[in-house]
Amino acid sequence: MPFGGADSLKPSAFIPVCTAACLLVGSTSLFFVFTCPWLAVNISPAVPPCCAILFLFVLANFTMATFMDAGVLPMANEDEDKDDEFRAPLYKNVDVKGVQVRMKWCASCHFYRPPRCSHCSVCDHCVEDFDHHCPWVNNCIGRRNYRYFFLFLLSLTFHMIGVFSFGLIYVLHHMDELWKLHCTVTLVVISISGLFLLPVLGLTGFHFYLVSRGRTTNEQVTGKFQGGVNPFTRGCCNNLEYLVCSPISPKYTARPRNKAVIHVQPPFLRPEIDRQRQMKVRDNGTQRQDLQNKLSDIKQMNTPPPLPPKPDHSPPKSQLAVVDGTTSEQQGSDKGPDVRSELQKSPRRSSQPAGLPVQTNTISTSMQLNSLTLNSRSLTLKHGNRHGSKSQLPAMRGDGMGSNPPPGIISSSSLLANQSSSVSYDNLINPSDPPFLPQRGAPPVGYHPHFLAMGMDGSVLQRPPPRGYNKTSQGLRDGLCDLASQGLTPQKTAPVRYDNFSKTIMASIHERREVEERDRMLRLQARSQALYDNTRPPGSRGPTPPAYGSREFLMSTGILGYGMRTSPLSSSSTSSLTRGPKTSSSPLQSSSSSSLQSKGRSSSPAYCPPDRQTQPLPSSTSTLPRLASSSTPAYASYATAKRSSLPYSSEGKDAVALGALK
Amino acid sequence: MSTFHNLQELRHSASLANKVFIQRDYSEGTTCRFQTKFPSELESRIERTLFEDTVKTLNNYYAEAEKIGGQSYLEGCLACATAYLIFLCMETRYEKVLKKIAKYIQEQNEKVYAPRGLLVTDPIDRGMRVIEISIYEDRGSSGSSSGSSSVSGSTAR
C-alpha cells in the first residue's frame, strides 16, 4: 500500500470503511439467517423480501458513496496559474445572486476554488460542492455523490429500525429460550443495531436539516452562512428536489481524451479593425496623433538623466514624479491612462495590449514589491524546473528590501518603455525567458534595471544603486527596450529573435544571467529569513504555500527557516487571511475528535461551530511553529499536512468528520 | 508522441503565443455558465460577435444539461430501481450533452477559430472551471521547430 500524499491510500484509512462494511453485511446476514424465517412464518411472509430490498438499496448506495468520484477538480495547467502567481490576492470575490462569496486560492491545485468547492486534505484534491470527507466510506462526499450518501443514511436508518424492531419482536416472543443460538444471535444483532441506531439517526436528521437549508456540512461547520444569507439555497422543497432529481454531473478526471485533430496554420484571418489599423500605419504616419505622441516620447527617452553617483540625479520629469514612493501609486495611475490610450491606438504586432498590464503593474509595483519578492521566490522554487531562467527572479529580493527609489524607477522606466516599445522596440522581444514572465508582467519589470545596471557597466552590482541610473543614455534605452519587450510580450515562447538586438544587449543579458545564477545560490540561504520579515500588503496572497511548505523549499532553506520565524506576519497581511487556518479538514477534524470521545452525540459537534473558530491549527506538522494568527504557517502547515503523511496519520484516523458514528 | 497532439496538430509555422481563460460566471449560483465578456487579448484576433456566440451556445448547452425536469427525474428513478446498475450500460443525460458540446467545439474550432489562429479547449478538460483559448502566432518563415514542442508541453496533461 503506497504511502502517498493522499492519506486515503494509507492502510489505516481502510479500517473504518471495512468495519462499517463488515458490521453492515455481517449483522444483516445474521438477521436474515436466524430471525427472518420465524418472522416470515409468524408475522408476515412479506417481511423478509421487504427487508432484503431495503438492504439491497443500502448496499447500492453505500457502494456508490464509497466508489463514486465526488466531483474532483483536476489540478490546473501550468499555463493557467501563471497569471495568478505573482501578485494575485488570496481571495477573489465573486457575486452569487447578489451575495459576495469569496473564492480562495488553492495552493495545491493552482486555481481559485469555485464557490462551495473545498480542498480535502485527506485525499489531496479539490472537490466541487464539498460536503465532508467520510471515513466510513473512505471517500469525499461532494457534488456527485452527495445524494447517494444521503440516501445511504436514510435507507440505513430505516434498515436499522427494521432490524431492531423485528429482532425485538423475535426476542420478546422467545423470552424463555433466550440462550438458544437463534435468540442469542438475534440479541447480538439488535444490540449492534440499537447501539448504532441513535448516531445514524442523528446524522440523518442533521443532513435533512442541511438539505432543507441548502448548506453543505463544510459550510455548516465553518459557520459560513450563519448570520447571513445563503445564496445557494433554492428553498426547502427545491433543495430536496435538487438533491434527488438533479442530473448527475460528469466526472472531471480520467476522461476519455478527445482524439480530434485540428490544423492550426497561418495565414490567420484577422478582424476588420486590425487590418484597417495596419493599413494606416503604412501611410505617412506623421499626421497621426499617436505617432506624434510616440515621437515625443522617444525624444523624452533620448534625454535620460545623467548617471551621477550621487543620490540626487535629474531624471526626466515623468520619472521624477514617480520616484517618490508614497505618491507613486497616484501618479502611476495618472500616467496609466495616457500610456494605455497611446498603446491602444498604436498598431501592434503582438496581440497583447501591454499598456494595461504594465499600468496595473506600475500602480502596484511600489506597494507590492515585497510581495513580488516573496512571490518571485516561490516562483523560483516552484517553477525551477518549468522555467528556463531562474536567475533573474531572486534579484528582486535584493531590490525589494525596502528602498523606495528602485520601485519608483522601475515603475517610471516601465512607463517609458511602454511608450516607446510600440513604435520600434517590438522587435526587441526576447522570448527566450517567457515562462517566468507572467501575463501581467509584474516581476520582470522590477528586475531589469538591476540587470542592466550590471550589464551596461560591465561590473557586478548586487543591487541597483538607489541613486538611480548609472548607465549611459544608450544603455538606458536598451535597458528600457528589454523592459518593454519582457513586460509586453511575456508569453512569447517562440525562439529568441536576435535580429535587432545589439551586441551590447546580448552580452549584457548573458552576463547578468550568469551573475544572477551565482548570486541566487549565494543569497538563497541568507535571504530566506529576511523575506518573511517583510510586511506584505493586505490581501496579497504572498508566497504560494506549497513553495514554502513544500519539500523542496524546506530542504533548500532548512527547517530553521521556518523555526526562526518567531514573529507572525504583520497583522495587515493576516487580517485578510483569517480563514487561512480554517481549512476544510481542520474544523471537521476538530469536530470529529470531539465526537469520537462522546459517542452518543454525533450530531452535537455540528452544532457547535464557534468552538472550531478559536481552535489553533491542528498539529499536523511538526516543522512549523504554532502561530495562531499567522497565515504563512497556516499555508505551510496546510501544505505539509498534505505532503507529509507522517504527522498526519493521527489526524487522519480522527478524521471521522461529522459522519462520526454512523 | 501522438498523444501530445490529440487536440491539435501544428504546422511548424504556427506557435503557441498565449492562452486566454474565460472564467465561470457564478452570478446565478453554481450552475455552469461562462462569462461572455470579450477578453482584450482576442480583440485583434476574432470578432466579438463570433466569440460571444460561441460562449452563449456553450452556456445554453450546459443549461440544458443541468436542467431539472422530467428526464432527470426519470433517470434518477430508473437508477434507484436498478440499484444503479443502469449506469453500467447507459450514459447519463449530462454525458450525452457533453458529447454534443464536444462536437460543437470541434466544429467551431475547425470553422471559426483555427483559421484565426485560435483554439478552444473543451471546458470539461479543465474541470469546467475555464474555457481555455490558445492563441497562436504566425512565425512566418523562421522555421524553428520549437513550436510543436511548446504546444505539446501544454497539452501533455
Side-chain angles (χ1 to χ4, degrees):
Chain A
M1 203 71 70
F3 277 77
D7 294 333
S8 59
L9 287 177
K10 285 167 50 181
S12 58
F14 290 94
I15 293 172
V17 61
C18 291
T19 314
C22 290
L23 275 176
L24 179 66
V25 174
S27 330
T28 312
S29 320
L30 290 174
F31 172 78
F32 279 121
V33 167
F34 292 98
T35 319
C36 275
W38 183 88
L39 290 168
V41 168
N42 292 64
I43 307 290
S44 164
V47 165
C50 286
C51 286
I53 290 170
L54 189 57
F55 178 60
L56 217 62
F57 195 60
V58 171
L59 275 184
N61 284 305
F62 180 71
T63 312
M64 290 296 269
T66 305
F67 295 111
M68 191 163 200
D69 182 323
V72 172
L73 291 170
M75 266 180 74
N77 255 350
E78 295 173 358
D79 308 311
E80 194 180 335
D81 68 356
K82 231 171 17 174
D83 284 358
D84 295 315
E85 278 306 326
F86 295 102
R87 45 181 192 81
L90 177 64
Y91 292 104
K92 233 192 216 177
N93 277 328
V94 77
D95 192 55
V96 179
K97 292 183 186 167
V99 178
Q100 284 284 313
V101 173
R102 261 189 337 188
M103 299 203 308
K104 190 175 174 186
W105 172 262
C106 183
S108 315
C109 304
H110 307 302
F111 52 74
Y112 283 98
R113 293 182 198 143
R116 309 199 101 179
C117 166
S118 195
H119 190 97
C120 176
S121 49
V122 179
C123 307
D124 195 20
H125 46 56
C126 272
V127 175
E128 207 176 2
D129 289 3
F130 180 74
D131 194 83
H132 67 284
H133 180 93
C134 181
W136 301 100
V137 298
N138 193 30
N139 194 15
C140 286
I141 307 298
R143 181 179 177 187
R144 296 185 78 230
N145 63 357
Y146 182 73
R147 92 184 61 196
Y148 306 117
F149 175 75
F150 183 81
L151 289 173
F152 165 65
L153 282 182
L154 202 62
S155 52
L156 185 66
T157 312
F158 286 126
H159 177 66
M160 287 168 87
I161 289 172
V163 165
F164 182 79
S165 33
F166 287 125
L168 198 62
I169 291 171
Y170 180 92
V171 166
L172 289 174
H173 275 90
H174 294 85
M175 288 298 273
D176 45 345
E177 19 179 86
L178 226 48
W179 302 115
K180 283 223 176 125
L181 177 67
H182 284 236
C183 229
T184 316
V185 167
T186 311
L187 266 175
V188 168
V189 167
I190 66 169
S191 53
I192 291 173
S193 64
L195 189 68
F196 288 103
L197 180 62
L198 280 175
V200 172
L201 196 61
L203 194 64
T204 310
F206 173 64
H207 277 274
F208 243 118
Y209 169 77
L210 287 181
V211 168
S212 68
R213 297 295 294 265
R215 295 181 194 169
T216 63
T217 307
N218 184 259
E219 286 164 355
Q220 174 70 29
V221 167
T222 54
K224 262 191 193 137
F225 303 120
Q226 253 174 359
V229 180
N230 181 0
F232 302 109
T233 184
R234 304 152 194 245
C236 181
C237 294
N238 285 336
N239 288 338
L240 281 164
E241 184 197 27
Y242 181 78
L243 171 78
V244 181
C245 307
S246 69
I248 295 143
S249 75
K251 218 165 46 153
Y252 300 132
T253 53
R255 289 196 68 84
R257 302 288 295 258
N258 184 9
K259 301 278 184 249
V261 169
I262 298 170
H263 300 281
V264 177
Q265 56 186 91
F268 298 140
L269 299 173
R270 300 278 171 155
E272 279 294 313
I273 306 154
D274 199 26
R275 267 183 249 126
Q276 282 171 9
R277 266 201 216 137
Q278 285 172 350
M279 289 291 294
K280 281 185 189 170
V281 169
R282 290 184 204 115
D283 297 340
N284 180 5
T286 50
Q287 279 89 31
R288 286 195 70 201
Q289 194 196 356
D290 50 350
L291 278 178
Q292 281 177 342
N293 289 340
K294 285 182 205 88
L295 288 171
S296 65
D297 290 332
I298 291 169
K299 281 178 201 156
Q300 196 179 22
M301 247 189 43
N302 281 341
T303 57
L307 308 167
K310 54 187 181 352
D312 51 342
H313 59 283
S314 54
K317 285 175 198 165
S318 60
Q319 292 172 355
L320 188 61
V322 192
V323 164
D324 182 3
T326 56
T327 55
S328 63
E329 237 186 49
Q330 185 193 355
Q331 281 149 352
S333 62
D334 293 340
K335 291 250 164 277
D338 300 322
V339 174
R340 192 181 0 196
S341 60
E342 283 164 44
L343 282 170
Q344 281 177 350
K345 283 186 237 156
S346 69
R348 306 208 54 76
R349 277 182 50 182
S350 63
S351 54
Q352 292 92 28
L356 283 168
V358 179
Q359 180 236 339
T360 20
N361 178 47
T362 3
I363 288 169
S364 56
T365 301
S366 62
M367 289 295 291
Q368 295 188 351
L369 209 51
N370 292 325
S371 70
L372 284 181
T373 68
L374 297 168
N375 289 334
S376 67
R377 187 205 178 95
S378 71
L379 185 67
T380 308
L381 296 163
K382 202 151 62 81
H383 300 291
N385 298 327
R386 288 203 246 158
H387 303 299
S389 132
K390 302 178 281 208
S391 56
Q392 298 171 354
L393 296 171
M396 209 43 225
R397 289 182 280 122
D399 299 339
M401 278 314 152
S403 55
N404 270 328
I409 290 165
I410 288 159
S411 50
S412 63
S413 55
S414 71
L415 280 170
L416 286 181
N418 230 0
Q419 292 160 3
S420 61
S421 64
S422 54
V423 177
S424 55
Y425 296 105
D426 272 353
N427 49 12
L428 290 182
I429 290 158
N430 179 3
S432 63
D433 300 327
F436 95 108
L437 301 171
Q439 200 160 1
R440 286 170 189 83
V445 177
Y447 297 136
H448 289 283
H450 171 101
F451 299 139
L452 289 160
M454 292 166 50
M456 289 303 123
D457 287 342
S459 61
V460 179
L461 293 173
Q462 295 306 313
R463 49 170 78 214
R467 284 93 65 181
Y469 304 94
N470 54 356
K471 36 176 123 51
T472 62
S473 61
Q474 173 68 27
L476 173 66
R477 193 171 1 168
D478 292 337
L480 290 169
C481 300
D482 270 348
L483 244 176
S485 61
Q486 302 243 13
L488 290 175
T489 57
Q491 297 81 10
K492 281 272 179 200
T493 53
V496 177
R497 293 187 200 172
Y498 292 108
D499 320 297
N500 299 314
F501 273 69
S502 71
K503 285 185 185 162
T504 338
I505 293 172
M506 288 315 303
S508 72
I509 289 168
H510 291 309
E511 232 180 276
R512 78 168 182 249
R513 271 192 214 152
E514 285 161 26
V515 174
E516 279 313 300
E517 264 301 330
R518 271 181 267 131
D519 291 342
R520 190 186 69 82
M521 303 314 283
L522 288 168
R523 289 194 283 182
L524 203 59
Q525 294 290 333
R527 298 285 182 203
S528 62
Q529 190 189 352
L531 270 178
Y532 291 102
D533 295 334
N534 287 332
T535 48
R536 278 188 282 139
S540 96
R541 187 160 54 80
T544 307
Y548 288 96
S550 68
R551 282 187 294 254
E552 308 96 290
F553 178 71
L554 288 173
M555 273 158 32
S556 65
T557 58
I559 290 170
L560 279 176
Y562 271 104
M564 283 157 73
R565 273 188 305 113
T566 51
S567 60
L569 295 167
S570 71
S571 58
S572 62
S573 62
T574 55
S575 59
S576 61
L577 304 165
T578 48
R579 296 198 78 85
K582 311 297 177 287
T583 62
S584 57
S585 57
S586 57
L588 295 171
Q589 287 173 10
S590 322
S591 64
S592 70
S593 42
S594 71
S595 65
L596 263 185
Q597 289 149 15
S598 54
K599 267 201 161 184
R601 297 188 290 116
S602 63
S603 54
S604 59
Y607 292 104
C608 48
D611 293 338
R612 316 289 163 244
Q613 305 277 358
T614 55
Q615 280 184 11
L617 283 171
S619 56
S620 49
T621 170
S622 54
T623 62
L624 300 173
R626 279 253 203 129
L627 302 172
S629 62
S630 168
S631 57
T632 304
Y635 299 135
S637 73
Y638 180 49
T640 50
K642 288 188 303 297
R643 307 256 183 259
S644 61
S645 54
L646 194 60
Y648 208 85
S649 55
S650 59
E651 299 297 335
K653 271 197 193 137
D654 296 339
V656 176
L658 287 172
L661 300 158
K662 302 196 187 78
Chain B
M1 267 304 165
S2 61
T3 54
F4 285 177
H5 302 280
N6 60 351
L7 190 60
Q8 63 260 6
E9 191 184 283
L10 287 185
R11 303 296 183 207
H12 285 291
S13 51
S15 70
L16 181 65
N18 192 11
K19 284 190 182 182
V20 184
F21 298 98
I22 314 298
Q23 300 290 333
R24 280 272 291 269
D25 173 14
Y26 292 109
S27 58
E28 287 172 26
T30 48
T31 50
C32 188
R33 267 184 68 87
F34 288 95
Q35 291 177 359
T36 50
K37 186 169 85 73
F38 188 60
S40 47
E41 291 89 344
L42 295 180
E43 251 167 45
S44 58
R45 300 303 298 256
I46 191 168
E47 287 83 359
R48 183 182 288 258
T49 46
L50 287 173
F51 169 81
E52 284 177 358
D53 279 344
T54 308
V55 180
K56 282 184 182 150
T57 313
L58 285 176
N59 285 340
N60 289 338
Y61 272 123
Y62 287 120
E64 179 202 332
E66 295 188 352
K67 199 168 65 131
I68 302 176
Q71 197 176 353
S72 63
Y73 184 67
L74 207 65
E75 201 177 65
C77 282
L78 197 65
C80 258
T82 60
Y84 309 116
L85 293 169
I86 197 82
F87 292 136
L88 296 171
C89 15
M90 207 181 71
E91 65 176 9
T92 66
R93 180 159 148 250
Y94 211 122
E95 291 283 346
K96 287 193 189 121
V97 177
L98 283 180
K99 281 206 173 131
K100 278 204 275 182
I101 289 170
K103 233 172 72 175
Y104 172 75
I105 288 178
Q106 163 96 358
E107 176 213 330
Q108 285 284 293
N109 272 333
E110 281 168 5
K111 293 195 183 143
V112 177
Y113 289 87
R116 289 167 172 79
L118 303 169
L119 212 57
V120 176
T121 307
D122 197 336
I124 195 73
D125 294 334
R126 298 286 174 263
M128 301 274 266
R129 288 178 298 102
V130 288
I131 301 176
E132 183 183 302
I133 301 181
S134 312
I135 302 175
Y136 290 90
E137 281 294 348
D138 183 359
R139 291 206 334 256
S141 55
S142 50
S144 166
S145 60
S146 65
S148 44
S149 62
S150 66
V151 175
S152 65
S154 62
T155 55
R157 271 184 180 257

